[in-house]
Amino acid sequence: MEINKQAITLGQDWDRNLLTALGKQTREDFVGEVPFGEENYKYYRHIFPGFDIYSANIDWQQRGKSVDSYVIGQITLHAPTLHTARGVVPGDAKQRVIEHYGAGETDNSDGEEWIMYSLAHRNIAFDVTGGKVRAINISTGND
């Protein structure tokens, strides 16, 4: 995926150079610790105009890094100028998601409707509340 002419992928190292290349961050929050298997990993949300990046110290031991080594764990798209690999953008009709990705798994809770897909430890979820894509979450799987 490309954002602001910068290629980004799940699992990519999160560092100051990447942060600078993505443009002006409007806010950064500590999300909390999230369990993955036997471990808990720290997540931070980096908010930019039109998208959010979640950095996490996922698998820092297996990567041979320090506990303060972070990678991209989730990308959330909000702006219609950003799209998935299959060309779906926030603002598209729910039917366009189904045409490009298939029926998927649905979840209707807390007044929101989501269509979700998983493959090879990667997830993509579309918030289609109201019949249109409101947000797209691309994340590392928690199997």
Side-chain angles (χ1 to χ4, degrees):
M1 156 174 298
E2 189 174 290
I3 296 179
N4 295 340
K5 298 182 182 172
Q6 176 64 46
I8 61 168
T9 60
L10 294 175
Q12 178 178 349
D13 287 343
W14 179 255
D15 58 30
R16 288 286 155 207
N17 292 334
L18 181 55
L19 175 64
T20 301
L22 288 172
K24 183 156 176 49
Q25 175 178 263
T26 57
R27 200 166 91 221
E28 180 178 317
D29 300 320
F30 176 63
V31 176
E33 291 196 17
V34 177
F36 264 62
E38 302 292 317
E39 300 290 333
N40 283 336
Y41 297 111
K42 294 179 185 174
Y43 274 76
Y44 289 88
R45 179 176 62 169
H46 308 272
I47 301 171
F48 296 85
F51 66 98
D52 304 340
I53 300 284
Y54 290 76
S55 63
N57 62 349
I58 300 169
D59 294 334
W60 62 270
Q61 311 94 319
Q62 291 89 329
R63 293 185 290 119
K65 304 281 187 161
S66 82
V67 69
D68 295 319
S69 171
Y70 287 79
V71 296
I72 295 175
Q74 179 176 310
I75 303 163
T76 302
L77 308 178
H78 304 286
T81 55
L82 302 171
H83 59 83
T84 68
R86 297 185 187 180
V88 175
V89 301
D92 277 345
K94 172 184 172 181
Q95 187 58 37
R96 183 166 161 80
V97 173
I98 295 167
E99 287 168 4
H100 287 341
Y101 287 88
E105 184 179 326
T106 58
D107 178 35
N108 293 290
S109 58
D110 299 326
E112 294 181 339
E113 181 182 358
W114 289 84
I115 302 175
M116 301 164 294
Y117 309 86
S118 296
L119 180 66
H121 305 291
R122 301 284 194 251
N123 304 315
I124 187 165
F126 298 86
D127 177 350
V128 292
T129 307
K132 291 210 176 282
V133 177
R134 292 177 27 180
I136 303 168
N137 289 337
I138 304 160
S139 62
T140 301
N142 183 359
D143 303 326

